[in-house]
Amino acid sequence: EAGVAQSPRYKIIEKRQSVAFWCNPISGHATLYWYQQILGQGPKLLIQFQNNGVVDDSQLPKDRFSAERLKGVDSTLKIQPAKLEDSAVYLCASSFSADTQYFGPGTRLTVL
Amino acid sequence: AQSVTQLGSHVSVSEGALVLLRCNYSSSVPPYLFWYVQYPNQGLQLLLKYTSAATLVKGINGFEAEFKKSETSFHLTKPSAHMSDAAEYFCAVRHSGGSNYKLTFGKGTLLTVNP
């Protein structure tokens, strides 16, 4: 069974630029999550989708972050404009309803 | 709100020694608890989970954890450490209620295994 796919794996940008990350969940998983993991901390949920609807985006900085999951499969997370404090690893995970969340390898973002 | 606290940001053990990683939780309802492991430059991999069945949970790679309600703890143990166990370990609690399955993670414990 293929795991959660994410791209790119690494991205370096300058502050105020925009960036986008892509995630393809495990086939059949209706629930998709984006987590932000800052160095030295545990992952923090940014947004949870159930199919293509948003369940929880309470910790998403909506003035600069956006996410979509148009067809209920893959998803894109965008940051515009990026700030220095956005440097982190962005993890995508998926699950079959409330069951175990499976994580992708993450995208490491460095904002200079 | 639910939360977890991992005691000790760094634990160092010798190969063959007991591994003990501590996690305490705070939850107003019976919690779902998880331990994940993260190897360098990789995503998180589930080690084990507690979902209100048996209080002693066995996971992969010889790890196990015991849910103790009276102590609000879910400590992770392994009888004999192996070099390949060196990684960062995260304890997490899952949100209860509705269709929100958010995991709240602790800050992690970095495990070093010395030869």
Side-chain angles (χ1 to χ4, degrees):
Chain A
E1 175 182 271
V4 176
Q6 290 189 247
S7 67
R9 291 294 315 275
Y10 305 92
K11 190 73 177 179
I12 301 174
I13 62 173
E14 306 236 332
K15 60 182 179 183
R16 291 188 289 273
Q17 286 187 322
S18 63
V19 64
F21 312 128
W22 175 83
C23 172
N24 191 41
I26 292 172
S27 178
H29 283 190
T31 311
L32 184 147
Y33 316 77
W34 284 102
Y35 288 85
Q36 179 193 57
Q37 185 178 18
I38 293 173
L39 186 65
Q41 299 182 21
K44 179 186 77 173
L45 181 74
L46 293 176
I47 189 166
Q48 176 193 330
F49 290 96
Q50 183 76 16
N51 295 306
N52 59 353
V54 176
V55 174
D56 184 350
D57 63 357
S58 58
Q59 298 189 90
L60 186 73
K62 298 180 187 63
D63 58 334
R64 297 183 301 105
F65 286 64
S66 64
E68 59 183 14
R69 193 184 185 200
L70 294 176
K71 297 182 179 179
V73 182
D74 57 350
S75 174
T76 302
L77 176 69
K78 297 179 181 178
I79 308 175
Q80 181 179 10
K83 293 185 174 181
L84 296 177
E85 59 261 36
D86 298 331
S87 293
V89 176
Y90 291 85
L91 295 164
C92 180
S94 70
S95 69
F96 183 74
S97 69
D99 205 349
T100 302
Q101 294 182 27
Y102 294 89
F103 285 79
T107 296
R108 182 177 298 274
L109 173 67
T110 301
V111 182
L112 303 175
Chain B
Q2 296 161 312
S3 65
V4 292
T5 301
Q6 291 184 242
L7 301 176
S9 60
H10 187 196
V11 170
S12 182
V13 301
S14 298
E15 192 173 19
L18 171 71
V19 175
L20 171 61
L21 304 182
R22 301 177 186 272
C23 173
N24 287 88
Y25 70 90
S26 172
S27 176
S28 58
V29 297
Y32 290 90
L33 294 162
F34 303 80
W35 275 100
Y36 280 85
V37 61
Q38 187 175 36
Y39 298 100
N41 298 315
Q42 295 188 28
L44 281 74
Q45 180 183 7
L46 180 70
L47 277 177
L48 48 81
K49 60 183 177 182
Y50 168 75
T51 56
S52 73
T55 57
L56 182 62
V57 181
K58 294 188 182 299
I60 62 171
N61 301 337
F63 284 93
E64 63 181 37
E66 185 172 9
F67 173 73
K68 292 186 177 181
K69 184 178 179 180
S70 61
E71 298 177 9
T72 61
S73 69
F74 190 56
H75 300 333
L76 181 71
T77 60
K78 182 174 180 178
S80 177
H82 192 273
M83 296 295 290
S84 60
D85 295 326
E88 189 147 27
Y89 293 79
F90 293 93
C91 182
V93 60
R94 201 192 80 197
H95 183 91
S96 297
S99 57
N100 189 332
Y101 311 137
K102 175 175 75 175
L103 291 176
T104 298
F105 288 86
K107 292 187 176 181
T109 297
L110 180 64
L111 175 66
T112 302
V113 182
N114 303 307

